[in-house]
Amino acid sequence: MKALILSGGMGTRLRPFTYSMPKQLVPVANKPILTHCLENVRAIGVEDVAVVVGDRAEDIRAVVGDGSAYGLNVTYLQQEAPLGLAHAVAIAEEFLGDEDFVMYLGDNVLVDGIAEPARDFLADRPAARLLLTKVDDPRAYGVAEVDAEGRVRALVEKPQQPRSDLAVIGVYFFTAAVHEAVRAIEPSARGELEITDAIQYLVERGDRVVAGEYSGYWKDTGSPDDLLDCNRVLLRGLHPGVRGEVDAASTLEGHVVVEAGALVERSHLVGPLVVGAGSVVRDSELGPYTALGRDCVLEDAGIRDSIVLDGVSIQGVRGLSGSLIGRSADVRGGEATGRRLIIGDHTRAEVAA
């Protein structure tokens, strides 16, 4: 089986971060979202992966490289515009050939992996296997109607009057039958080749398309709150360990990771949290549920339930919560109890007391 990972979207809902980086590279628990996808794919035994890229191709390449760091062989496929998920399958047809494959949206995080649905797919090889989850508002998703045996009877993209609360999440398993379906469909009203239309073609042709509810944690990381929620879940799964330096005047509670080269002095850290390599935390309160990136400086600061990217400086600001702070940002000021910051790369922010 091969893998097709889609990493060409614009990520408009995650601006200002996605002005300067692809949404797939925004980190959760100090690791790019795309890296979590690659690790899940490798965990099911896949070695050959095509990554579909758009305008930010070089940024993706700089992180993923040839894939060898993940035990993968990575091929890059350029998509000239975001023309739909089925369009991505079309441009990957030569790479995929006649093999089964998993298509994985590069901004989706499935914390518990995809081993179980992969086994189910390989056991009986339907034309397609979908992963579903119940959602409060199905109108924002592709929605599946499934019979008692798990066979998909209909699939509709973003229906105004959903007939089910089962949304299709961003991991799909296909046999080569999907290629004919992709060639048979036309662009939707929004000008895209919809993968839901291709799957519906398979259903109407009588091919077996099945689905099952995903039992683990899933998040489509399309907003800052989604990222923070995902960060909390992933941090809970970290194995605590101090590989950096923590002085005797500091206290650590709960699951705390201090990476190599990091320095903690006269500070109170409450896990789960991670302090990235090369960062300095001095006279500060950090956590819980905080991912502090590499080469950051926190002095006389306090921050919790937040994602802080690499190279950030926070000085003299306490009480920050629920924040996302972009790379190399500089935050200064005074007491900010309960205050939230969402700022992009290289921003200077002064917080009034």
Side-chain angles (χ1 to χ4, degrees):
M1 186 162 61
K2 292 184 176 181
L4 180 65
I5 298 182
L6 277 54
S7 299
M10 300 299 292
T12 55
R13 290 182 295 161
L14 281 177
R15 290 173 178 167
F17 305 99
T18 49
Y19 281 124
S20 53
M21 71 170 68
K23 63 179 177 178
Q24 298 83 8
L25 296 186
V26 176
V28 283
N30 274 15
K31 187 183 296 184
I33 296 167
L34 181 57
T35 298
H36 293 284
C37 300
L38 293 168
E39 290 176 347
N40 281 350
V41 164
R42 185 67 189 91
I44 63 170
V46 171
E47 295 182 357
D48 295 319
V49 177
V51 178
V52 176
V53 292
D55 293 342
R56 299 288 179 78
E58 291 310 309
D59 293 324
I60 299 289
R61 287 176 184 268
V63 171
V64 178
D66 63 1
S68 58
Y70 309 95
L72 299 168
N73 306 311
V74 171
T75 298
Y76 293 94
L77 300 174
Q78 187 73 40
Q79 189 176 33
E80 65 270 22
L83 297 174
L85 305 188
H87 180 263
V89 174
I91 64 175
E93 184 174 358
E94 182 177 350
F95 167 82
L96 296 167
D98 293 329
E99 292 198 38
D100 299 342
F101 68 98
V102 55
M103 183 172 76
Y104 201 132
L105 306 193
D107 58 359
N108 277 229
V109 175
L110 288 80
V111 171
D112 300 288
I114 57 173
E116 183 177 349
R119 284 194 299 268
D120 292 341
F121 171 73
L122 292 172
D124 60 0
R125 295 187 63 246
R129 172 170 281 276
L130 312 181
L131 277 60
L132 308 176
T133 191
K134 291 184 178 180
V135 294
D136 293 332
D137 185 5
R139 293 173 299 176
Y141 301 90
V143 175
E145 296 176 26
V146 183
D147 67 18
E149 287 72 44
R151 187 157 179 166
V152 175
R153 296 305 181 187
L155 193 63
V156 183
E157 182 69 24
K158 297 181 174 63
Q160 288 305 301
Q161 296 181 320
R163 297 176 61 182
S164 163
D165 63 353
L166 292 172
V168 180
I169 66 179
V171 175
Y172 309 75
F173 293 89
F174 293 112
T175 67
V178 74
H179 297 302
E180 182 179 341
V182 167
R183 290 192 293 269
I185 63 174
E186 299 291 336
S188 66
R190 60 179 184 168
E192 297 187 7
L193 286 176
E194 309 284 1
I195 197 64
T196 46
D197 289 344
I199 296 169
Q200 182 63 24
Y201 176 90
L202 294 172
V203 170
E204 293 175 356
R205 193 174 69 174
D207 289 17
R208 197 161 61 90
V209 175
V210 300
E213 286 193 56
Y214 182 67
S215 59
Y217 175 92
W218 162 79
K219 185 67 71 174
D220 174 2
T221 52
S223 72
D225 286 334
D226 292 335
L227 285 172
L228 290 169
D229 187 66
C230 189
N231 191 59
R232 294 181 201 108
V233 173
L234 285 164
L235 286 174
R236 290 189 201 114
L238 292 180
H239 297 291
V242 176
R243 296 184 294 278
E245 183 178 347
V246 178
D247 73 356
S250 297
T251 56
L252 277 59
E253 297 181 24
H255 286 212
V256 173
V257 175
V258 180
E259 294 183 351
L263 174 63
V264 178
E265 294 182 331
R266 300 182 301 278
S267 296
H268 182 52
L269 276 58
V270 180
L273 66 78
V274 56
V275 177
S279 288
V280 175
V281 180
R282 183 176 291 126
D283 301 312
S284 296
E285 297 179 355
L286 185 62
Y289 297 112
T290 300
L292 183 69
R294 293 171 173 264
D295 301 317
C296 295
V297 175
L298 265 65
E299 289 192 297
D300 189 25
I303 185 167
R304 58 179 293 156
D305 193 20
S306 297
I307 297 174
V308 182
L309 276 66
D310 295 348
V312 168
S313 174
I314 304 176
Q315 299 187 50
V317 181
R318 291 181 177 269
L320 290 173
S321 179
S323 298
L324 273 71
I325 300 177
R327 293 174 296 186
S328 300
D330 185 5
V331 181
R332 299 171 185 267
E335 185 68 31
T337 302
R339 192 162 295 179
R340 183 185 201 190
L341 288 180
I342 298 179
I343 56 176
D345 293 354
H346 306 288
T347 301
R348 181 184 175 100
E350 296 187 9
V351 180

